[in-house]
Amino acid sequence: MKRGSFINHVAWTGAGIVYALGPDGIVRAADAAPRVLSFVQVSDSHIGYTGPANESVHGTLERAVASINALPTQPSFVIHTGDVTHLSKASEFEDARAILSGLRAPLITLPGEHDVIGAEGPKRFAASFARKDAVGRGWSSWDDGGVHFVALINVGEGETMGVLGDEQLTWLGKDLAARKSDTPIVVFGHVPLFAVAPEWGWTTTDGVKAIAMLRRFAAVTVLNGHIHQIVEHTDGAIRFATARATAFPQAAPGTPGAKPGPLAVSQGSLLHVLGYRTVDVEAAASWRDVSLARA
């Protein structure tokens, strides 16, 4: 069969299979297209919250889980970037774990400041969600598909702003030093590393030190939660994006008379301001924010 005839033939007979004509004239199945790594970010579920901003935080988290499970291609993992619970109660962790265990994809979970309240909060979070490969207060890193992932912990009880601390920054420096500058880097945390609104505590006090370590890399994505809305920022080759919550929105920074905390919206609008994020990673990350109204 001539090359042209072969191509016309497999165009309709070889759906789902890639073929190649070798230099020896033998037709062979070629390697499939390179895998595109994907994951989903969920944040700020606040299981245990009761109030007018959301009468069923369980229901909105369940809606997010069902929508993620219905994606045509399941992500490599789902990461929850903190404030899984509202008051770090044992019953809240139990309820959150029951809902999140329904995910089809593997789950990675970081704590928010609402997950580490009191002496028992960190213990309860660890018992429910801690990674086995985590070090220090729970930070970790891993590689997948040529991408280097870093999960940072920048929360603590009573902290009005995020903080990484010297121990974690030392670990981060050593971790990144082992990576080439052309390695795609994806960083997760709860509180934003950059200064979104320091007057509201929406920043990490020593985040500039981590950002300085990331500047030598050609493509860096930093994804956080905490502020319950999408704010994007670029610093050279570093792109930052905060995420919507699944529980309730908060006011936008700079809103006159506003302050951080649950924000009640008009009836019928809640699902439009809640959601999750799907992310594809090749040389750099691209993402799509999905509102629960469309989930």
Side-chain angles (χ1 to χ4, degrees), residues 3-4 19 43 49 71 87 123 135-136 169 183 210:
R3 182 186 296 268
Y19 293 95
S43 203
Y49 167 81
L71 291 173
L87 296 173
K123 297 177 184 177
V135 297
L169 286 167
T183 302

Side-chain angles (χ1 to χ4, degrees), residues 107-125:
L107 174 67
I108 300 169
T109 310
L110 306 182
E113 76 279 5
H114 282 262
D115 299 314
V116 294
I117 297 172
E120 297 303 312
K123 297 177 184 177
R124 289 168 179 162
F125 179 87

Side-chain angles (χ1 to χ4, degrees), residues 169 172 176 193 206-217 235 238 240:
L169 286 167
L172 178 63
L176 294 177
L193 288 186
D206 51 1
V208 292
K209 296 180 180 179
I211 293 169
M213 297 178 193
L214 294 166
R215 284 206 174 96
R216 74 175 179 89
F217 294 96
D235 180 343
I238 308 173
F240 303 84

Side-chain angles (χ1 to χ4, degrees), residues 1 4 8 15 33 38 43 49 80 88-89 94 108 140 166 169 172 202 231 242 251 274 284:
M1 184 181 294
N8 290 332
S38 69
S43 203
Y49 167 81
H80 195 300
S88 300
K89 293 181 178 180
E94 290 171 4
I108 300 169
S140 63
D166 291 342
L169 286 167
L172 178 63
W202 290 1
V231 174
T242 60
L274 305 181

Side-chain angles (χ1 to χ4, degrees), residues 165-190:
D166 291 342
E167 181 185 1
Q168 185 170 195
L169 286 167
T170 298
W171 169 85
L172 178 63
K174 293 178 180 178
D175 179 79
L176 294 177
R179 272 74 203 178
K180 296 180 179 179
S181 60
D182 61 351
T183 302
I185 306 291
V186 178
V187 180
F188 302 110
H190 179 64

Side-chain angles (χ1 to χ4, degrees), residues 49 51-54 200 227-229 247-252 255 258-266 270 273-274:
Y49 167 81
N54 187 343
W200 283 2
I227 72 171
H228 297 217
Q229 61 197 278
F248 49 78
Q250 296 196 76
T255 302
K259 60 182 180 180
L263 177 68
V265 296
S266 60
L270 179 61
V273 292
L274 305 181

Side-chain angles (χ1 to χ4, degrees), residues 2-290:
K2 295 181 180 179
R3 182 186 296 268
S5 299
F6 169 74
I7 292 173
N8 290 332
H9 180 68
V10 300
W12 60 270
T13 62
I17 304 174
V18 179
Y19 293 95
L21 185 63
D24 54 3
I26 299 176
V27 176
R28 298 181 177 86
D31 292 337
R35 166 179 173 249
V36 176
L37 179 66
S38 69
F39 64 87
V40 169
Q41 180 190 8
V42 179
S43 203
D44 298 275
S45 300
H46 288 270
I47 296 300
Y49 167 81
T50 56
N54 187 343
E55 296 180 356
S56 178
V57 292
H58 291 71
T60 47
L61 180 56
E62 288 168 351
R63 186 182 182 96
V65 168
S67 179
I68 295 166
N69 284 343
L71 291 173
T73 301
Q74 281 299 289
S76 297
F77 60 88
V78 175
I79 184 156
H80 195 300
T81 49
D83 281 354
V84 183
T85 68
H86 194 59
L87 296 173
S88 300
K89 293 181 178 180
S91 59
E92 294 173 355
F93 280 111
E94 290 171 4
D95 289 350
R97 186 170 53 186
I99 296 171
L100 292 169
S101 66
L103 286 164
R104 294 171 59 191
L107 174 67
I108 300 169
T109 310
L110 306 182
E113 76 279 5
H114 282 262
D115 299 314
V116 294
I117 297 172
E120 297 303 312
K123 297 177 184 177
R124 289 168 179 162
F125 179 87
S128 298
F129 299 114
R131 287 173 61 87
K132 293 180 180 179
D133 60 349
V135 297
R137 291 186 293 113
W139 49 84
S140 63
S141 67
W142 67 96
D143 296 289
D144 190 356
V147 181
H148 186 61
F149 294 91
V150 180
L152 299 176
I153 308 298
N154 58 354
V155 298
E157 183 188 5
E159 294 175 354
T160 57
M161 297 188 185
V163 61
L164 295 165
D166 291 342
E167 181 185 1
Q168 185 170 195
L169 286 167
T170 298
W171 169 85
L172 178 63
K174 293 178 180 178
D175 179 79
L176 294 177
R179 272 74 203 178
K180 296 180 179 179
S181 60
D182 61 351
T183 302
I185 306 291
V186 178
V187 180
F188 302 110
H190 179 64
V191 181
L193 288 186
F194 72 102
V196 177
E199 67 278 14
W200 283 2
W202 290 1
T203 187
T204 299
T205 56
D206 51 1
V208 292
K209 296 180 180 179
I211 293 169
M213 297 178 193
L214 294 166
R215 284 206 174 96
R216 74 175 179 89
F217 294 96
V220 180
T221 303
V222 183
L223 302 177
N224 302 94
H226 188 58
I227 72 171
H228 297 217
Q229 61 197 278
I230 300 167
V231 174
E232 298 186 0
H233 173 68
T234 301
D235 180 343
I238 308 173
R239 296 181 301 155
F240 303 84
T242 60
R244 289 181 177 131
T246 69
F248 49 78
Q250 296 196 76
T255 302
K259 60 182 180 180
L263 177 68
V265 296
S266 60
Q267 186 176 5
S269 297
L270 179 61
L271 294 181
H272 292 273
V273 292
L274 305 181
Y276 62 88
R277 170 177 290 146
T278 63
V279 185
D280 292 335
V281 187
E282 293 182 275
S286 61
W287 56 80
R288 182 172 70 96
D289 288 292
V290 182

